Amino acid sequence: MLLDRYRKQAHNRNQKKVYELIEREYDRLGGCEGYHAGTIGNLKLADEEIYLLLQGEYQRLANTLQLTAAQNICSKPILAVLGSVLQNKTAEGRIGARWHGGCDVVDKLEALAADRAMQAFAAQYANVQPHSGSTANQIVFKALLRPGDVILSLDSSHGGHPSHGGSDSLAENIYKIERYGVEQTSFVFDYEKILAKAKAVRPKLILCGASAYPRVIDFAKFRTIADEVGAYLLADISHIAGQVIAGVHPSPINAAHVTTTSTYKAGGPRGGLILSGGDFEMSVETSAGTMPLFEAISIATFPGMQGTPYFNNIAGKAVFFKEALSTAYRQRQQKIVNNAKTLAHCFVSSGFDVLSGGTDNHMILIDISRSKEGLSGVIAQQALEQCGIVVDSFRLPFQRGEMPAAGVRLGTPIVTMRGMGPEHMSTLAKMTSDVLKEINTNCPDKYDLKQETSSKIRDMVGDICRRFSLA
């Protein structure tokens, strides 16, 4: 009865009543703040070696400029629940049908997280149990496909994620993977060519979404392609989930049959999420028979792909989804994109080869190899990190041979979170450019950088980090 009352209230999105109900029913538990107090101090006393590593990572993050596209910073309330008593709960199965006892509280927690996810993404179904975005993809594959079925996905060398069917991935060992790519001169999608490829290989599932694609993805066109060849459409929006929530990037929720994402890139905790819009109740054929899409996904989650959910992470997701519904969060997503556009423009103006000429989202892709003879993305990453600027190296589309990655991928989520705006992007671009111009390369994996340059940029980075400290 209690769960039924909660579900009704959560469905009506009357969160105040939900909180009052939980407080009234569980006030007898008490002592929560005392139980969780002093967790860092307890760690220091119990394991100083790990404590010092924790301190070191904090100092690294606080005193460097994180220009990475795949990372973000979660809030302190999210950190609080990640290190909470919820970590101790084991409860395999679904809400109201667990394989373990004592699930009254976590049933409410999971239902609340799913409800908030649906609000944030304007979805009709949400599964908050996946441990990661990659696991979420495997769950959808298991729900909709059988061994040997064809998946058409973006080539990992063109910006696709390994979990989409990259070399040596689990998907490649189970399914037949066909790949599409970007155009060689523009580095963007040609949807007519993708359609032609789909007609040629007749996939059971088409996967759209990328880990290195700086332009808008037209999910509606992908759905048209999928419908034309009778395929399911899966959209992985791990990199742009925050922008989708904020309306800064078009949403795939009602274009794709299923949407997956990780939750940490958008500013939440580590974890995955599966969403669906109007197709969530469509009938699908599975090895267990015909059933609604959401039911197939639920079974593929447990017992199909994973065991007990991580309820501390689910709590973190719930906190994050509430944050994502705020005006401040939505405004920050627009600032992230504005910063990225400005940063890309600064690099183009400085003569760097920015793939596709710019960006529509949070990431910038640069062909470093064309800026100086012998310079690679790997060397650029190492030299910049020596100066306190953290970026990612990556292999360029159409890059040949076994040479080191020729490009770097930059992103603006963390510098935006720290309070920097477009007016600061020229400074970041100039510091980055100054380092890259001063690198002397001896061979593909070694370089020299003047101590004077390194110290100068380090000092500038330190000054910016003090001005824009971690919240």
Side-chain angles (χ1 to χ4, degrees):
M1 289 295 295
L2 188 61
L3 180 58
D4 291 336
R5 284 153 54 196
Y6 167 77
R7 282 174 169 165
K8 181 178 180 180
Q9 289 168 337
H11 179 73
N12 292 333
R13 294 174 170 79
N14 191 338
Q15 305 300 346
K16 183 178 180 181
K17 289 184 178 180
V18 173
Y19 297 140
E20 290 174 350
L21 174 63
I22 292 174
E23 182 178 357
R24 184 171 65 251
E25 296 291 341
Y26 295 99
D27 183 58
R28 66 184 184 277
L29 294 178
C32 180
E33 290 191 22
Y35 180 88
H36 292 95
T39 53
I40 296 296
N42 290 333
L43 172 63
K44 185 177 182 180
L45 290 172
D47 195 330
E48 187 173 9
E49 188 175 8
I50 295 298
Y51 169 79
L52 290 174
L53 291 172
L54 178 65
Q55 186 180 64
E57 175 61 13
Y58 171 80
Q59 294 295 336
R60 185 198 68 82
L61 184 61
N63 298 318
T64 57
L65 290 173
Q66 303 290 311
L67 285 173
T68 49
Q71 296 184 56
N72 212 319
I73 299 174
C74 71
S75 67
K76 290 179 181 178
I78 293 174
L79 286 178
V81 293
L82 289 176
S84 72
V85 69
L86 290 166
Q87 193 281 146
N88 299 328
K89 182 59 185 143
T90 297
E92 294 171 317
R94 286 175 276 177
I95 298 171
R98 305 289 188 184
W99 285 33
H100 304 81
C103 298
D104 210 19
V105 173
V106 294
D107 276 353
K108 293 177 177 62
L109 171 65
E110 185 175 332
L112 181 58
D115 184 68
R116 288 180 177 177
M118 287 186 284
Q119 292 182 61
F121 287 94
Q124 296 186 49
Y125 167 77
N127 182 339
V128 297
Q129 289 196 11
H131 299 333
S132 69
S134 294
T135 303
N137 289 332
Q138 304 310 315
I139 288 169
V140 176
F141 294 164
K142 182 169 178 57
L144 299 179
L145 305 176
R146 298 187 184 183
D149 281 345
V150 177
I151 296 174
L152 177 60
S153 63
L154 178 62
D155 194 319
S156 59
S157 68
H158 286 220
H161 191 267
S163 69
H164 299 172
S167 178
D168 297 323
S169 68
L170 177 64
E172 187 185 50
N173 292 326
I174 299 175
Y175 311 105
K176 179 176 173 54
I177 308 299
E178 296 286 350
R179 298 174 175 90
Y180 60 90
V182 297
E183 293 301 289
Q184 190 159 5
T185 55
S186 66
F187 295 99
V188 298
F189 294 143
D190 183 323
Y191 293 94
E192 289 300 318
K193 288 187 178 179
I194 297 173
L195 173 60
K197 179 77 172 184
K199 287 181 176 179
V201 302
R202 309 304 296 186
K204 183 74 174 292
L205 181 143
I206 297 175
L207 203 157
C208 58
S211 59
Y213 187 75
R215 294 302 184 178
V216 168
I217 298 174
D218 194 328
F219 297 114
K221 285 185 178 179
F222 269 109
R223 178 57 182 262
T224 298
I225 294 169
D227 286 345
E228 187 151 347
V229 298
Y232 296 113
L233 180 63
L234 168 60
D236 181 345
I237 58 170
S238 291
H239 266 278
I240 57 172
Q243 295 154 48
V244 168
I245 290 173
V248 179
H249 188 288
S251 172
I253 296 299
N254 288 308
H257 294 91
V258 186
T259 297
T260 58
T261 183
S262 60
T263 47
Y264 66 91
K265 293 184 182 73
R270 296 278 160 180
L273 177 67
I274 302 175
L275 302 156
S276 187
D279 292 311
F280 83 106
E281 289 185 308
M282 69 177 290
S283 294
V284 297
E285 293 291 334
T286 73
S287 58
T290 303
M291 64 184 68
L293 174 61
F294 73 88
E295 181 74 14
I297 291 173
S298 180
I299 293 172
T301 304
F302 176 81
M305 287 296 300
Q306 61 184 46
T308 188
Y310 300 161
F311 287 103
N312 55 335
N313 287 69
I314 287 177
K317 293 173 190 179
V319 174
F320 165 65
F321 297 141
K322 183 179 180 181
E323 294 172 351
L325 289 166
S326 70
T327 300
Y329 179 85
R330 293 166 188 264
Q331 290 175 342
R332 187 167 70 250
Q333 293 302 312
Q334 184 63 65
K335 291 177 182 177
I336 287 171
V337 174
N338 292 345
N339 280 344
K341 288 178 179 291
T342 302
L343 189 61
H345 175 75
C346 291
F347 281 116
V348 171
S349 298
S350 297
F352 286 92
D353 183 9
V354 176
L355 270 62
S356 80
T359 185
D360 296 323
N361 53 40
H362 63 294
M363 75 173 68
I364 302 130
L365 309 177
I366 303 177
D367 183 351
I368 289 296
S369 67
R370 300 188 63 175
S371 60
K372 178 179 287 190
E373 182 69 28
L375 184 60
S376 69
V378 175
I379 287 177
Q381 176 184 320
Q382 293 171 352
L384 286 167
E385 189 162 349
Q386 179 183 331
C387 300
I389 301 171
V390 182
V391 302
D392 296 324
S393 61
F394 85 108
R395 289 185 64 83
L396 295 171
F398 308 104
Q399 181 178 331
R400 296 179 179 178
E402 298 300 322
M403 294 296 290
V408 293
R409 182 183 68 177
L410 300 89
T412 54
I414 294 181
V415 293
T416 305
M417 171 74 81
R418 293 180 73 156
M420 294 176 225
E423 66 274 20
H424 305 107
M425 294 302 107
S426 59
T427 300
L428 301 188
K430 186 177 187 310
M431 289 192 301
T432 303
S433 176
D434 287 348
V435 173
L436 296 176
K437 289 176 180 177
E438 290 293 325
I439 297 173
N440 292 313
T441 56
N442 302 319
C443 60
D445 59 352
K446 293 183 180 180
Y447 70 94
D448 291 321
L449 184 65
K450 292 179 181 178
Q451 183 63 42
E452 179 183 351
T453 300
S454 177
S455 297
K456 176 186 174 183
I457 300 299
R458 264 283 182 187
D459 289 343
M460 294 176 68
V461 168
D463 179 63
I464 293 173
C465 289
R466 283 187 291 273
R467 288 165 55 201
F468 299 98
S469 62
L470 292 179

